[in-house]
Amino acid sequence: MAIERTFSIIKPDATARNVTGAINAMIEKSGLRIVAQKRIRMTREQAEIFYAVHRERPFFRELVEFMISGPVVVQVLEGDNAIAVYRDLMGATDPAKAADGTIRKVLAKSIGENSVHGSDAADTANKEIAQFFAGNEIIG
Ligand code: GDP
């Protein structure tokens, strides 16, 4: 298996409920390593660029407002097959449909406020990491 990096966001609903450590514990238990991490307040422009692929979706405005409503923790996760491993650990977008033991099943509240983001492919992971981290901020 290949060592990969993926981009993660701990979203405002999770920072508000003080469960960033609980999420990091689940990430580390899965075998992934947190090789970069910072707590930031996303700007509207950053959120609109980050979710540009969803611009035409009916929930786009709500999504951007949510992502700038409080602090987030942006992260780079590294490990074997990191992109797929983290998607599995996150669970389905809608927490009600997420598998037992996943972050969204255990901690998330709704399809919009679903606690975490994880890249869906290698090209998006690279792009998302580059939006928030300089190369020298990622220490593997
Ligand atoms: P993900 O890859 O599982 O995060 O899901 P998507 O890429 O399909 O959607 C991106 C994000 O948009 C989700 O994580 C949710 O925060 C939000 N989202 C998706 N569908 C809905 C929806 O029907 N309503 C609202 N309010 N937000 C949604």
Side-chain angles (χ1 to χ4, degrees):
M1 268 187 289
I3 296 283
E4 285 179 338
R5 285 179 174 172
T6 192
F7 180 72
S8 161
I9 306 176
I10 302 179
K11 296 184 179 182
D13 65 293
T15 59
R17 283 180 288 122
N18 206 25
V19 293
T20 61
I23 291 171
N24 279 352
M26 292 174 81
I27 289 170
E28 291 184 336
K29 191 152 183 257
S30 78
L32 295 171
R33 305 181 75 85
I34 301 165
V35 295
Q37 171 169 267
K38 57 191 171 189
R39 185 174 168 109
I40 62 165
R41 190 78 183 234
M42 224 184 250
T43 64
R44 182 177 299 277
E45 190 188 11
Q46 280 176 316
E48 286 176 348
I49 290 169
F50 186 78
Y51 279 121
V53 67
H54 292 310
R55 205 173 12 228
E56 305 305 328
R57 308 281 286 276
F59 56 81
F60 179 69
R61 278 287 127 218
E62 199 180 324
L63 176 56
V64 169
E65 294 299 333
F66 168 56
M67 293 302 289
I68 66 174
S69 68
V72 300
V73 178
V74 290
Q75 305 175 306
V76 181
L77 311 181
E78 185 178 86
D80 279 336
N81 236 358
I83 295 166
V85 167
Y86 192 47
R87 295 287 300 184
D88 281 352
L89 177 64
M90 287 163 47
T93 308
D94 182 353
K97 297 181 183 152
D100 284 347
T102 59
I103 293 171
R104 285 168 167 168
K105 180 70 172 192
V106 173
L107 292 168
K109 296 296 174 205
S110 68
I111 190 167
E113 304 199 359
N114 60 4
S115 300
V116 281
H117 166 87
S119 309
D120 60 3
D123 56 341
T124 44
N126 290 336
K127 200 167 137 202
E128 291 173 359
I129 289 168
Q131 189 185 346
F132 290 95
F133 290 99
N136 64 3
E137 292 179 305
I138 305 167
I139 314 295

